[in-house]
Amino acid sequence: MKTKQQQPTALIIRSSLALALALAIWSPVQAQSAEPAEGKKMTEGKMMDSCNEMMQAKQKMTEEMKAQDAELAELVAGMNSAPEAKKMALTAKVVTRMVEQQSAMNAKHEAMQAKMMQHMMEHMEMGKESMAQCPMMKDMKSMEEKSGDAHKHN
């Protein structure tokens, strides 16, 4: 079960991936020739390495978010079980930590979004088939199908 904090973050990540895909598909790169300039074409092997790096970065961010959630849960539990005299200080500690985590995660998210846009552009330079083979795209499609199935049952 996702916490309220995880839902917006997951939505932001999925929205960013969808935006990156949409921008990549509709970009002017499509209007240019299918073959990139000599020396700029990435090999399939290097592209797959890049895809795997992106997947690892995504997994690392997910793990970091889970660790942050666990840390906050622990802090909140301590705050809730504390004597009244200590609750105000512990509340301030929880809020401060949440702000620190949010600021750090926003910075990481922005950096990852820029990398993802570059990654999508590299796929577009290699052709539409390259995009379809990307593990990130396959993962997104899988998430969308699961999400669609959940909505059909409701």
Side-chain angles (χ1 to χ4, degrees):
M1 180 178 193
K2 290 187 176 183
T3 66
K4 289 181 181 179
Q5 183 182 3
Q6 286 177 317
Q7 290 172 345
T9 304
L11 179 62
I12 289 169
I13 291 172
R14 284 195 306 261
S15 297
S16 297
L17 287 171
L19 176 62
L21 177 60
L23 288 173
I25 290 172
W26 295 104
S27 75
V29 171
Q30 288 243 337
Q32 296 174 358
S33 71
E35 286 296 315
E38 288 271 337
K40 290 188 178 182
K41 188 171 183 178
M42 186 178 283
T43 66
E44 285 185 39
K46 287 182 182 178
M47 192 68 216
M48 273 308 192
D49 289 345
S50 177
C51 292
N52 289 329
E53 287 175 21
M54 292 298 300
M55 286 296 289
Q56 289 172 355
K58 179 183 172 202
Q59 181 63 33
K60 182 180 178 189
M61 185 177 278
T62 299
E63 290 168 2
E64 288 173 1
M65 288 170 25
K66 286 179 182 179
Q68 288 178 353
D69 289 344
E71 178 188 359
L72 288 175
E74 187 176 318
L75 288 172
V76 169
M79 174 188 72
N80 288 336
S81 64
E84 285 299 317
K86 293 185 177 185
K87 281 193 188 242
M88 185 64 75
L90 291 172
T91 300
K93 183 177 180 178
V94 169
V95 171
T96 299
R97 187 63 187 133
M98 287 174 69
V99 170
E100 291 170 351
Q101 286 180 353
Q102 187 68 31
S103 295
M105 192 55 67
N106 284 343
K108 287 180 183 179
H109 180 259
E110 286 178 25
M112 180 179 254
Q113 191 171 16
K115 288 178 184 176
M116 290 173 79
M117 289 296 291
Q118 179 62 37
H119 182 77
M120 292 301 128
M121 293 306 294
E122 290 168 357
H123 272 298
M124 292 307 295
E125 288 175 0
M126 291 186 74
K128 290 180 183 179
E129 303 81 31
S130 175
M131 179 88 59
Q133 297 303 315
C134 181
M136 295 284 292
M137 293 297 105
K138 290 178 181 179
D139 191 42
M140 259 183 58
K141 186 174 181 178
S142 172
M143 286 191 305
E144 287 174 5
E145 288 171 356
K146 289 177 185 175
S147 173
D149 290 344
H151 290 292
K152 287 178 187 176
H153 296 292
N154 289 336

